[in-house]
Every structure is written in C-alpha cells, then in structure tokens.
C-alpha cells in the first residue's frame, strides 16, 4: 500500500515555542489515521504545515506524492482540510460560500450537483440561504466539512472536529467520517479523546510536546495500557473486602469503590461474584476507559523504565 | 489538473471581492460619492471667487479632478485593506489560503476589485457633478489610465497595510501617517510650484501628485508637469509596489505562520 501523506523530519518553532521537534510519519493511502495528543501537543501545527497554512522550519511533507511546498497546487487539490477553529466569511450565505470555495479550486457550474449533495448529506439544505453567523455551532462545523469536500479531495483532514460538540453531533460526525472512509478517502483525524481515536482509527500516532511518543495500530497501542476502571456503588458503607480485590482498589469512599481491572485477566462478572460471596451488595456499576492522560503517563513511564 | 494559472480560481476570488463591497454599496459607493460632493460645495463656495490657478479655469473645475482622484485613492485603499484585514481577523482568509491560488492570482484578484471600486466611485462623482459643473473632458482614455493606476497602487498599498496590521488601529495609522500627508502634498487644492521650495521638492517624490496632475490633464488639457513624466512616474510606482506586494504575499508573512 502506498502512502497518502509522507512526513519527514518536520520541525517548527514559533518564536520561542518549539511546536514540532522532528516528526517523521507515513499515513497509508485509504487508512483512517488518528493523530492524538493533549492541547498544545502540536497537532494543529502539523496539520497546518500539511495544508500549507504554516511553513515548517525544516523537513518535507508530500501528499499523494506532491510536495506541499514545491507542488503546492496539486497538493492542495488532493487535500480537504477542516480547520479546528470556526473560521468564517460573514458576507456570504452557506450556498454562496460553497460555490466560491469550488471556484477557488477551478470548479464551476458542473460542480453544483455535488454542492447540493453535500448540503443534503450534511443536513444543511434548509440553511443554504442563511449567513454563517446565523448557524448553530453544529451547523457551522458541518459547513466547514462541506467546504473541505467541495473539490472531492482524496485526503481529508479533520482537526479536532468533535472538540466541544454535543453527543448527538459527535455521533453524526463519526458516522460521516466512517462513510467518507468507506468511500475510499484517506482520513486524518486529530483528537484529544482516546475513545474517539479508538472507535474510528486503525492506526494512531501520539504527539506530546512536539514529539511523537507512539505510532502503532490502535489495538496494539491500547494493549500497551491494558487497564480500565470499574466504578461500583455499594448499598452500605462496607469496610472489609475480599483479599484479592484489595490490590485493585484505586479509591475507596463510603458506599463507593473504584477498581483498576486488567482488560484480559480480570472479568467484571468474576469481580461481582466475589463481592456477592462476601455479602457486599452492589447497587450500580459502570466502567471507564483509560483517559489519554493515563495512557500517556503509562507510555512515558514505559519509555523511561526501558 | 496540471495548469500553471488557475484562471477560474483568480476570477472567483475577484468576483467575491467585488461582490463583497457591492453587497454594501450604500457604504462603499454612495457614501464616498456624497462625501466628495460635500467637499466640493464647501470648497467652491468658500474659495471660487478668490482663486484662479490656471488662466480661464474656474476653481471648481480645477478642484474637481483632484477631488475625484482622492476619492478613488481612498476607496481603493479602503477596499483591499478592510477586506483582507477582516478576513485575517476572522480567519476567513484560510479558505483562500487552502485553495490552489498563487500569490500573483491572489494579488490580481484583490487589486482588480479595488480598481472596480475606485472606478465606480470616480464615475459616480463624475456623473453627479456634470449637471452642475461644466467640466470638460480632454482625453477619456488617459483619465481611465490614471484612475486604474491610482486604484491599483492604493489597492496594493491597502493589501500591504492589511498584512502588517494586527489591529484596526494599525490600518488607521497607515491612513493617518502615510495617506493623509501624501494627500495634502499632492496638489489637489493648489499647484505644487506655489508651495515653499522645501515642500515643493518633497512633493515631487509623491506619486499622488503625478496621479492628480495627470488625471487633471485628462480633463482640462493643462498640467503642472510634463504628461509623460506623470505617466512614467505613476506606472513605475505601481509596478514597484506590485512587485513588493506579490513578494510579501509569497513570503507568507503574517498570513502563513
Ligand atoms: N501561531 C502561533 N504562534 C505562536 N505559538 C503557537 C502558534 N500556534 C501554535 N503555537 C504553540 O505551538 C504549540 C502547539 O500548538 P498546536 O499545534 O495548536 O497544538 P494542538 O493542536 O495539539 O493543541 C503550543 O504551545 C502553541 O501555544
Ligand atoms: Mg489543535
């Protein structure tokens, strides 16, 4: 499989801030790739260098074989970028913005059926004549996606599309991203939610302070941090717990217990049975996936200990 | 899709820039036209009895081409500077920066729109005064030449200002500290050679002076400078700022981090 995006030794420094410290990374064609990292990790900087919005101090990036600096025209035709910020042009309505954007890419009337289709797919048809400022946050986000797709790019980049959006929109954005991927687009998604990357991405790169601290298939990466959390609400304020549960207890509050479970070795059913045997009654329970922070700490600890 | 010029991309951006000011034409065309008419009323009623600059040329007639030219200059500047600055502020410029549009195509689109606005304002003033003032027309082609060069020059300067500016205050500073002084030393209200020698000397480096003198010649058939000098100096200034602006865009300064 050839690569959709090739990133070689990219450095970027903004005045004093070293935002990227030599990133090398290949994004396979047709893949759903996640770029994961906390705020300030350098994700947007990398995306913006791919897009030509920011210039690297060192290194090269190519998109479908086109260097983003030397063959910038072809590289930009190949790319659809959904920026993190809600950027806008207050003068024009939704359809006008889409037509203008298509025009910038050299596409005229022949592209209008595609614009209608995009409006339909992204549920913007009845907002086609509204100005950007009158759209809800979710609609603005969807419009930005439509704008990125107006020239049918092969590689689609979504920079934190779900940061600060409600659950419903997040679900619909996930569905849409999956559909794009199935239609053959290479997808590059940045996020700081691990569960999002886990749900969508085949392969993940983790960025922290401008450095890549992990690059692997999603399943391998999660296996490196094989724990999850079990939250139990108890009927009473118990004091004694079965001995083999004690080393799993992370926090113990009156009528509440948090356990750290190994994905493969510990079963929730087994834990519940043991509690039952000890006459401890569970009222409610839920599990929590490790947060990105926890995977990080784990990865960083691994790196320093090995 | 291998081509070296993105014609439709350029054309779309140009149309967008024209469309942008056309949507608010009362502010961008009508208001400036009224503005010039007010100036004209005030200046001519105060001065026309007392001043004669060229023999047999009424002061109002002397003044008008200069006032039209000033309106062209100001509006061309306002168009490109406010459009680009606003697009920078709300990051709407991102859409253009993501597109396969070159610095030259970008430049020509913005300059083109500034020229259209300059011409519309200029023509607007002209149409509204010919009913009251007996303004001759010596050479219409020449008038268009100077109007286009002038709005192109200030359109480019507007782009440069917008690129450097981080706040509206900065744009205002470009207007107050560069455009305004150049306006006062341009010979709109008097002839440069009637100024004290020091100021006259400075004025000979002022592109506005050549634009106004040449533009006035297009109407009256008389001028302060040799016409050829005005044509060459204005064109040279326009070409120089064009090269600088395209270069500035190409560096990505303040536009592409
Ligand atoms: N235009 C800029 N000027 C100065 N510093 C910047 C700029 N953009 C980003 N940074 C800094 O670079 C680092 C990486 O930022 P960014 O790429 O936005 O991270 P992320 O998208 O992962 O949150 C941060 O420390 C941020 O403050
Ligand atoms: Mg970001």
């Amino acid at each position: 499989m050839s690569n959709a995006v090739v990133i070689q030794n990219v450095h970027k420094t903004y005045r004093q801030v070293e935002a990227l410290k030599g990133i090398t990374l290949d994004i396979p064609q047709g893949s759903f790739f996640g770029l994961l990292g906390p705020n300030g990790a350098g994700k947007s900087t990398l995306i913006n260098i791919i897009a030509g919005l920011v210039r690297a101090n060192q290194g090269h990036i190519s998109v479908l074989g086109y260097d983003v600096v030397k063959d910038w025209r072809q590289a930009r035709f190949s790319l659809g970028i959904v920026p993190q910020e809600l950027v806008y042009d207050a003068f024009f309505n939704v359809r006008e913005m889409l037509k203008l954007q298509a025009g910038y890419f050299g596409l005229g009337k022949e592209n209008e059926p595609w614009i209608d289709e995009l409006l339909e797919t992204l549920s913007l048809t009845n907002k086609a004549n509204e100005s950007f400022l009158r759209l809800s946050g979710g609609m603005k986000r969807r419009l930005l996606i439509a704008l990125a797709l107006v020239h049918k790019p092969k590689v689609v980049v979504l920079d934190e599309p779900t940061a600060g959006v409600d659950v419903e929109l997040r679900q619909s954005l996930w569905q849409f991203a999956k559909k794009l991927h199935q239609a053959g687009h290479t997808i590059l998604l940045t996020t700081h939610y691990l569960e999002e990357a886990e749900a969508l991405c085949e392969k993940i790169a983790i960025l922290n302070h401008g450095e890549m601290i992990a690059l692997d298939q999603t399943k391998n990466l999660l296996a490196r941090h094989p724990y999850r959390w079990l939250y139990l609400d108890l009927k009473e304020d118990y004091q004694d717990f079965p001995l083999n549960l004690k080393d799993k207890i992370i926090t113990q509050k009156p009528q509440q217990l948090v356990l750290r479970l190994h994905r493969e070795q510990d079963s929730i059913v087994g834990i519940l049975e043991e509690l039952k045997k000890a006459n401890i009654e569970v009222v409610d329970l839920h599990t929590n996936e490790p947060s990105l922070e926890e995977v990080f700490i784990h990865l960083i600890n691994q790196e320093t200990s090995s | 899709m291998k081509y070296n010029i993105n014609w439709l991309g350029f054309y779309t951006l140009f149309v967008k820039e024209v469309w942008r000011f056309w949507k608010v034409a009362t502010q961008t065309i009508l208001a400036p036209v009224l503005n010039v008419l007010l100036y004209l009323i005030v200046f001519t009623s105060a001065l026309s009895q007392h001043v004669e600059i060229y023999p047999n040329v009424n002061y109002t007639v002397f003044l008008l081409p200069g006032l039209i030219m000033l309106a062209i200059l100001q509006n061309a500047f306002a168009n490109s500077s406010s459009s680009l600055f606003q697009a920078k502020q709300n990051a709407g410029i991102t859409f253009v920066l993501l597109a396969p549009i070159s610095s030259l195509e970008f430049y020509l689109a913005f300059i083109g729109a500034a020229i259209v606005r300059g011409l519309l304002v200029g023509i607007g003033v002209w149409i509204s005064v010919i009913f009251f003032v007996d303004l001759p027309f010596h050479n219409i082609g020449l008038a268009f030449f100077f109007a286009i060069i002038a709005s192109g020059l200030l359109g480019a300067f507007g782009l440069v200002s917008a690129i450097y500016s981080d706040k509206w205050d900065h744009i205002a500073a470009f207007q107050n500290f560069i455009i305004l002084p150049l306006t006062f030393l341009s010979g709109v209200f008097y002839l440069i050679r009637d100024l004290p020698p020091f100021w006259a000397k400075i004025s000979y480096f002022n592109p506005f002076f050549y634009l106004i003198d040449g533009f006035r010649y297009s109407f009256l058939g008389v001028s302060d400078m040799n016409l050829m000098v005005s044509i060459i100096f204005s064109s040279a200034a326009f070409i120089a700022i064009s090269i600088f602006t395209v270069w500035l865009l190409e560096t990505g300064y303040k536009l592409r981090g």
Side-chain angles (χ1 to χ4, degrees), chain B residues 71-82:
Chain B
I72 290 173
L73 293 168
Q74 273 160 8
N75 282 280
F77 177 83
N79 204 66
S80 57
S81 64
S82 63

Side-chain angles (χ1 to χ4, degrees), chain A residues 72-84:
Chain A
W72 57 273
R73 257 198 235 267
Q74 283 91 341
R76 287 183 205 170
F77 275 117
S78 316
L79 271 173
I81 307 274
V82 183
Q84 180 177 356

Side-chain angles (χ1 to χ4, degrees), chain A residues 12 14 51-56 66 72-74 76-77 79 81-83 85-93 96-97 99-108 110 132 144 147 151, chain B residues 1-6 8-10 12-13 15-17 19-21 23-24 86-87 90-103 105 249-253 255-257:
Chain A
K12 176 67 190 181
Y14 298 106
L53 294 175
V54 167
R55 287 173 184 178
Y66 299 116
W72 57 273
R73 257 198 235 267
Q74 283 91 341
R76 287 183 205 170
F77 275 117
L79 271 173
I81 307 274
V82 183
E85 308 299 331
L86 289 173
V87 297
Y88 64 94
D89 191 331
F91 271 91
F92 301 100
N93 69 36
E96 288 165 352
M97 279 179 81
K99 279 193 191 176
L100 288 171
Q101 197 63 20
Y104 298 159
F105 281 86
L107 301 166
E110 76 282 4
F132 183 88
L144 288 183
L147 285 163
H151 58 291
Chain B
M1 260 180 282
K2 280 209 168 161
Y3 46 76
N4 295 321
I5 300 173
N6 179 358
L8 189 59
F10 150 74
T12 306
L13 186 55
V15 167
K16 186 208 118 185
E17 284 303 306
W19 196 4
R20 195 195 66 88
F21 77 71
K23 281 198 173 197
V24 285
Q86 206 167 41
N90 59 31
I93 196 65
T94 306
F95 298 122
V96 181
L97 298 178
L98 287 173
I101 291 178
S102 69
S103 303
E105 289 151 6
L249 287 168
E250 193 63 26
T251 65
Y253 182 70
L255 290 176
R256 297 184 195 270

Side-chain angles (χ1 to χ4, degrees), chain B:
Chain B
M1 260 180 282
K2 280 209 168 161
Y3 46 76
N4 295 321
I5 300 173
N6 179 358
W7 287 109
L8 189 59
F10 150 74
Y11 180 70
T12 306
L13 186 55
F14 165 71
V15 167
K16 186 208 118 185
E17 284 303 306
V18 172
W19 196 4
R20 195 195 66 88
F21 77 71
W22 190 251
K23 281 198 173 197
V24 285
T26 36
Q27 291 167 52
T28 53
I29 309 290
L30 203 61
V33 169
L34 289 175
N35 214 347
V36 179
L37 296 182
L38 287 175
Y39 262 101
L40 194 66
I41 290 165
V42 170
F43 277 102
T44 55
S45 51
L47 297 173
S48 60
Q49 308 309 317
H50 317 285
V51 194
E52 191 185 69
I53 290 175
Y54 291 121
N56 303 322
V57 176
N58 177 309
Y59 184 67
T60 309
V61 171
F62 169 84
L63 191 60
L64 243 179
L67 284 182
I68 294 176
M69 184 48 102
L70 280 190
I72 290 173
L73 293 168
Q74 273 160 8
N75 282 280
F77 177 83
N79 204 66
S80 57
S81 64
S82 63
S83 177
L84 180 58
F85 184 72
Q86 206 167 41
K88 233 175 79 171
Q89 289 292 88
N90 59 31
I93 196 65
T94 306
F95 298 122
V96 181
L97 298 178
L98 287 173
I101 291 178
S102 69
S103 303
L104 182 64
E105 289 151 6
F106 182 103
Y107 170 78
L108 291 175
F110 272 83
I111 292 312
I115 291 173
V116 172
R117 168 131 164 227
L119 291 181
L120 286 177
V121 170
I123 292 167
V125 175
W126 182 76
I127 289 175
S128 43
V129 298
I130 48 171
F131 300 106
F132 316 106
V133 183
D134 191 14
L135 185 65
F137 225 137
H138 180 72
N139 185 332
I140 193 162
L142 211 52
F144 272 94
F145 170 81
F146 281 107
I148 288 169
I149 293 286
S151 37
L153 185 75
L154 269 281
F157 188 59
L159 285 182
V160 172
S161 311
I163 291 171
Y164 281 110
S165 295
D166 299 318
K167 304 188 244 169
W168 281 111
D169 288 1
H170 297 165
I171 300 267
F174 276 99
Q175 268 167 320
N176 294 332
F177 296 110
I178 299 182
I179 297 187
L180 205 63
L182 290 179
T183 302
F184 278 99
L185 292 174
S186 65
V188 180
F189 304 107
Y190 46 79
L191 287 183
I192 292 300
R193 57 172 130 87
D194 297 337
L195 282 177
F198 172 75
W199 294 108
K201 219 173 239 164
I202 286 187
S203 302
Y204 289 122
F205 292 99
N206 178 3
F208 288 20
F209 161 64
Y210 296 93
L211 289 166
I212 287 170
D213 200 53
F215 194 60
R216 189 183 286 130
Y217 176 86
S218 326
F219 289 87
L220 310 184
V222 282
S223 64
D224 207 6
M225 289 303 289
N226 179 302
L227 177 66
M228 228 36 228
V229 173
S230 292
I231 290 177
I232 290 168
F233 195 98
S234 316
S235 308
F238 177 53
I239 290 166
I241 196 165
S242 296
I243 291 170
F244 176 73
T245 312
V246 175
W247 170 81
L248 190 63
L249 287 168
E250 193 63 26
T251 65
Y253 182 70
K254 288 203 180 183
L255 290 176
R256 297 184 195 270

Side-chain angles (χ1 to χ4, degrees), chain A residues 12-20 35-48 54 84-85 159-160 190-192 207 209-210, chain B residues 257:
Chain A
K12 176 67 190 181
T13 304
Y14 298 106
R15 291 191 194 91
Q16 304 94 345
V17 186
E18 210 180 340
L20 295 175
L35 189 60
L36 202 59
N39 283 329
K43 304 182 297 294
S44 293
T45 300
L46 187 59
I47 297 302
N48 290 339
V54 167
Q84 180 177 356
E85 308 299 331
D159 194 1
E160 302 218 26
T190 83
T191 180
H192 60 259
L207 229 57
H209 296 304

Side-chain angles (χ1 to χ4, degrees), chain A residues 36-38 192-196 198 206 221-222 225-229 231 263 287-299:
Chain A
L36 202 59
H192 60 259
Y193 302 116
L194 181 68
E195 63 168 314
E196 181 160 296
E198 193 180 345
I206 298 186
L221 209 55
L222 286 168
H225 186 273
Y227 298 104
R228 59 182 163 167
W229 279 257
Y231 288 74
R263 263 171 213 282
T287 58
N288 220 350
E289 297 300 313
S291 72
L292 187 56
E293 241 66 36
E294 285 150 347
V295 174
F296 269 140
I297 292 165
H298 190 73
L299 284 169

